[in-house]
Amino acid sequence: SALKMHSFAAGTGAVPIGLSDWWLQQACSLGRSEDLAAVVGECYGWLGRGMAAGLARRSGLFTEFDGNVGFVADNHNPASQVGPVLSASRLQMFGKCPLHYFFENVLRVRRPDEHLPDPETWLDAATLGRLMHNLFCHFMDGLRERGEKASVANHWSELEDALMKAVEEQRELLPPPSDHLYLEMVREYKEMARTFLHEMETRADEWEPLYFEGAIGMRSKARPSVFDCEMPMRVELVDDLHVALRGQIDRIDKKVGAAPSEYEIWDYKTGGDWVYRQADKDCYWQGRLVQHVLYLMMAKQNLAMIDPGASVPRFGFYLPSSKAKKAHHLYGEDIVEKGCDVLAKLVSMIGDGAFPATDETNDCKFCDHHLSCAPLWNVAEQTAFKMAEGAAGLEVFCRLRPGKK
């Protein structure tokens, strides 16, 4: 019976028809695929370097191809006097995926801003967050200036008008995909604003909203107050490890009649609370959530200069959206001591030049740099493998995420 031919290679001395035939001829003459790979690498340097990188990534070692830089200049080392000023978002980016931090803050590789129309959404999370933060800030600042306590009966129409003005401005900049979607989103935004106002009313007799968008290490976006400080705040995390911090605290409330003074600090979140529910199991979520620690530290240190003897016993995330299962996620000042140890681990990894990819594939969802990783290898699984192998350079990461070794 006839044999089915699967491929053809020109014999020795024959002239190959094309480049593919030439490579097949060389492969047959060498007889070993390992030798062929070496020949390819020598002929095409970029392929050779790529193959070497692939082998390194598949190994049990933490190599330069996995984010082991080994050294960072002082301007990238947070522990240096000339190091970067850290924010909660930067540190949480590193805590979630050190490689993502490396792309964004060391290489400064960022995905270009682009708007991709989606018939089911209008304002993205960041735009909505800015809109609601500005709305709440200016509304509460206005009440404070007039000496009024928040009341749904007295102030809903004022807050609703301010909301609609802001929404219409966004509508001019970015028209919604449909009128139906616009009306549905407006209904949702109004519900969120009314929930916020009701919250402020229930707290009005016990807590006085005092500072809004309190800025440390940056210029305030709100009316300037004595709390604001444009110079970064330098804090000690553990012995002899100091870092510079910046941040903007959405609202600082003072307890009515307390002596000495007692304050609560609040940060608004306009989406769901999945992240903060993870922190119910692990307060710092293995370094992915440290904003509460940073803000408690910065607020206490700053308020001590304004109101000596004052205490800041609580920090809270407030989520007025119906997407959140819990509207309040509260943390006491007792989280700071262990939180500083978590922060110190993150900072030490940056200083050591250790920027591995995350070991959890869920962290890769919605990442701007997924195209840098996903097409060729699952970097999260490879990091998990290297951690399980006890690769040198990943010891601190293993302590942040126990159970991998």
Side-chain angles (χ1 to χ4, degrees):
S1 60
L3 294 176
K4 184 177 180 181
M5 182 177 290
H6 288 275
S7 63
F8 169 81
T12 304
V15 179
I17 298 174
L19 187 60
S20 297
D21 286 343
W22 183 86
W23 277 111
L24 283 171
Q25 184 186 58
Q26 302 306 306
C28 291
S29 63
L30 289 172
R32 295 176 58 202
S33 60
E34 294 90 346
D35 293 334
L36 178 60
V39 171
V40 171
E42 290 174 7
C43 292
Y44 301 98
W46 59 277
L47 281 176
R49 291 189 294 273
M51 288 187 287
L55 288 172
R57 288 185 172 116
R58 290 189 292 273
S59 76
L61 304 176
F62 180 43
T63 73
E64 64 268 33
F65 300 106
D66 307 297
N68 188 5
V69 177
F71 169 82
V72 292
D74 284 346
N75 64 315
H76 289 300
N77 184 354
S80 168
Q81 287 288 339
V82 296
V85 178
L86 297 175
S87 64
S89 58
R90 275 196 176 194
L91 281 165
Q92 289 176 169
M93 179 187 295
F94 187 91
K96 184 177 183 180
C97 179
L99 186 61
H100 187 169
Y101 177 97
F102 180 71
F103 288 150
E104 293 265 337
N105 297 295
V106 180
L107 298 182
R108 300 193 183 280
V109 176
R110 291 181 173 84
R111 182 177 178 175
D113 290 333
E114 57 181 346
H115 175 69
L116 300 176
D118 184 341
E120 297 183 0
T121 61
W122 177 31
L123 301 182
D124 61 32
T127 304
L128 176 60
R130 286 192 297 270
L131 186 151
M132 301 306 287
H133 276 71
N134 290 336
L135 175 72
F136 297 160
C137 171
H138 291 108
F139 172 74
M140 293 302 297
D141 192 33
L143 291 188
R144 173 166 173 73
E145 186 180 19
R146 301 195 302 265
E148 299 175 8
K149 292 182 179 180
S151 163
V152 175
N154 296 333
H155 299 116
W156 169 240
S157 60
E158 177 186 344
L159 182 57
E160 183 181 29
D161 289 345
L163 170 63
M164 290 310 301
K165 181 181 178 182
V167 167
E168 287 300 323
E169 289 174 355
Q170 282 296 325
R171 192 180 190 183
E172 289 292 322
L173 295 172
L174 181 64
S178 69
D179 290 340
H180 172 75
L181 179 64
Y182 171 77
L183 294 174
E184 181 62 23
M185 292 295 97
V186 167
R187 183 199 61 77
E188 184 178 313
Y189 303 158
K190 285 185 178 182
E191 180 183 345
M192 196 184 307
R194 193 176 182 90
T195 300
F196 170 82
L197 182 55
H198 183 265
E199 167 78 6
M200 294 299 96
E201 182 177 22
T202 59
R203 293 175 56 87
D205 290 334
E206 186 178 1
W207 294 93
E208 176 191 3
L210 196 59
Y211 305 117
F212 310 100
E213 301 292 343
I216 297 173
M218 61 177 69
R219 181 171 296 178
S220 177
K221 299 174 183 177
R223 188 195 310 273
S225 72
V226 294
F227 183 86
D228 300 332
C229 175
E230 292 191 25
M231 290 293 294
M233 179 176 289
R234 199 152 189 89
V235 302
E236 184 177 38
L237 301 179
V238 294
D239 292 342
D240 297 324
L241 178 59
H242 296 79
V243 294
L245 302 176
R246 63 181 175 89
Q248 189 151 274
I249 301 172
D250 291 338
R251 196 182 80 242
I252 302 172
D253 295 349
K254 183 177 182 180
K255 191 168 187 177
V256 176
S261 300
E262 182 179 325
Y263 293 87
E264 278 188 351
I265 53 181
W266 290 91
D267 189 77
Y268 308 140
K269 302 297 180 185
T270 53
D273 65 339
W274 184 84
V275 168
Y276 312 104
R277 284 188 280 115
Q278 307 313 302
D280 290 342
K281 310 166 192 172
D282 169 10
C283 186
Y284 319 100
W285 197 18
Q286 301 178 329
R288 296 176 181 89
L289 184 64
V290 294
Q291 182 181 358
H292 44 4
V293 179
L294 293 178
Y295 280 22
L296 279 166
M297 294 170 61
M298 291 193 293
K300 185 174 182 178
Q301 189 167 318
N302 215 31
L303 286 168
M305 296 183 287
I306 303 169
D307 189 354
S311 64
V312 188
R314 282 173 298 281
F315 168 94
F317 291 111
Y318 175 59
L319 301 95
S321 172
S322 59
K323 297 175 183 176
K325 293 186 177 181
K326 284 173 58 179
H328 307 87
H329 290 265
L330 287 166
Y331 306 89
E333 60 183 338
D334 57 314
I335 69 169
V336 171
E337 183 176 356
K338 187 177 177 181
C340 283
D341 181 63
V342 172
L343 291 169
K345 288 181 172 65
L346 299 177
V347 169
S348 70
M349 286 183 66
I350 298 173
D352 292 340
F355 301 98
T358 179
D359 64 324
E360 296 285 350
T361 54
N362 281 336
D363 291 334
C364 300
K365 293 179 179 178
F366 315 113
C367 177
D368 286 344
H369 300 283
H370 69 279
L371 293 177
S372 303
C373 305
L376 299 180
W377 40 77
N378 189 327
V379 291
E381 290 183 1
Q382 290 184 353
T383 298
F385 169 70
K386 293 170 189 288
M387 293 170 71
E389 291 292 301
L394 292 176
E395 296 87 353
V396 177
F397 203 40
C398 286
R399 289 198 291 272
L400 281 167
R401 301 189 179 189
K404 295 298 180 182
K405 185 178 185 304

